[in-house]
Amino acid sequence: MIQMTLIQIDNYGPWTVTPTPRRESDLQILQAELYADLQRQFAAKQGLVFFMRFDNMLAISNGMDMEDHLRIQESIGNRYPITVSMGVGTARTPYDAQRKATKALQSHGGAQSEDRKEVLAIDSLADENGFVQIAHIDINGITETLTDTMPAYDTSFVVNRVQHFLMKKLIKKGSLLFFIGGDNFMSPCNGLAPEGLLKIINEIKDEIKIALKAGIGKAPTAEKAANLADLALEEIRGGFTYDLVHLMKE
């Protein structure tokens, strides 16, 4: 079972325009600093946070209990002009876990409710048998084929297109996908066999002519699983010439 935590800024939309619209640069700074702060605090507990729309973020939180979440909420509330609410859920697949986390939080009121503040809604917590499976996916040879030869925005467009195709295919398997910078993506993918991921990678190469590679890690916590996935991917980069390879690290 994988445990997912939805982090949502309370009443953020109305706050950004009260009493008048706030400077966009200040809002961007707030969002970036909040994401970095949450990442630091979840990482201290071996968790991993992924940004989505910045007012909403998803974290893999296996090993974290109610008190861990409450402490993070309190820390944010003490130091920021906004507060965050959280929903927590567990399931066999990341998609179902985040669905449960979202439903649990939604049951306490809407995202722009004036009455909802620092809610912690727990549907379920993973036990000692829970685990995290993560794939680290990147684009083959992007520096030579895109970064050093195409305009920067065009390269970004290609990366976004790859993300779209990966998300579309992975969600059908109950897996999630997040952009993590450069040409890199991470996919919480409990329930997806390495052969299933390789099939998706092959399909994308056939459909949009972009070659990908991936490393997969499996561990009790998100940080350990991500590190194993990184190591698996580095083995591919350093010792293999195949376009499409997968490795599983237990």
Side-chain angles (χ1 to χ4, degrees):
M1 303 287 278
I2 186 171
Q3 179 176 303
M4 301 291 299
T5 298
L6 169 64
I7 307 159
Q8 193 173 82
I9 301 178
D10 293 319
N11 203 24
Y12 185 57
W15 179 82
T16 64
V17 295
T18 303
T20 60
R22 301 175 191 270
R23 292 180 181 176
E24 187 58 37
S25 57
D26 289 339
L27 296 176
Q28 294 297 322
I29 291 167
L30 171 68
Q31 291 173 175
E33 290 182 345
L34 179 62
Y35 166 66
D37 200 332
L38 287 165
Q39 187 73 272
R40 190 175 296 111
Q41 295 197 60
F42 273 82
K45 295 294 181 178
Q46 300 283 305
L48 191 58
V49 179
F50 299 100
F51 65 84
M52 295 188 296
R53 296 179 292 134
F54 285 108
D55 57 344
N56 283 257
M57 289 166 267
L58 277 173
I60 305 174
S61 55
N62 285 62
M64 296 178 62
D65 58 18
M66 180 178 69
E67 186 60 35
D68 294 325
H69 287 85
L70 288 171
R71 190 177 295 113
I72 293 173
Q73 284 181 303
E74 181 181 9
S75 176
I76 297 300
N78 286 339
R79 296 180 292 109
Y80 286 83
I82 48 84
T83 59
V84 296
S85 287
M86 300 183 184
V88 186
T90 62
R92 295 186 180 277
T93 68
Y95 180 82
D96 284 341
Q98 66 83 31
R99 182 179 57 81
K100 289 182 178 180
T102 303
K103 187 175 181 180
L105 184 54
Q106 288 172 342
S107 69
H108 287 263
Q112 294 189 359
S113 169
E114 294 181 356
D115 299 323
R116 198 195 76 183
K117 182 178 179 180
E118 291 184 314
V119 165
L120 177 60
I122 298 178
D123 172 88
S124 50
L125 296 170
D127 59 24
E128 64 275 5
N129 295 317
F131 70 93
V132 180
Q133 182 175 299
I134 291 179
H136 185 163
I137 306 167
D138 78 4
I139 299 173
N140 277 0
I142 189 171
T143 301
E144 298 81 9
T145 60
L146 296 173
T147 305
D148 290 345
T149 60
M150 294 178 62
Y153 191 83
D154 298 45
T155 298
S156 182
F157 181 86
V158 172
V159 172
N160 286 336
R161 188 165 184 242
V162 171
Q163 181 178 7
H164 170 77
F165 273 79
L166 280 169
M167 291 179 74
K168 185 177 179 180
K169 293 176 181 293
L170 284 165
I171 198 170
K172 294 177 181 178
K173 305 296 182 181
S175 300
L176 308 178
L177 185 86
F178 303 97
F179 175 64
I180 58 170
D183 65 327
N184 297 272
F185 310 93
M186 274 201 166
S187 173
C189 57
N190 288 47
L192 178 63
E195 294 78 13
L197 178 58
L198 186 61
K199 183 175 183 292
I200 289 172
I201 288 174
N202 277 311
E203 289 174 354
I204 289 176
K205 186 177 183 182
D206 290 340
E207 292 170 13
I208 61 174
K209 311 305 178 187
I210 298 291
L212 307 172
K213 54 183 174 290
I216 301 177
K218 180 179 176 182
T221 65
E223 184 172 275
K224 291 179 181 178
N227 287 343
L228 289 173
D230 292 344
L231 289 171
L233 191 58
E234 285 304 312
E235 289 185 30
I236 295 173
R237 288 170 175 153
F240 292 82
T241 57
Y242 303 109
D243 283 339
L244 304 165
V245 184
H246 68 266
L247 290 174
M248 185 71 174
K249 291 286 182 177
E250 292 288 351

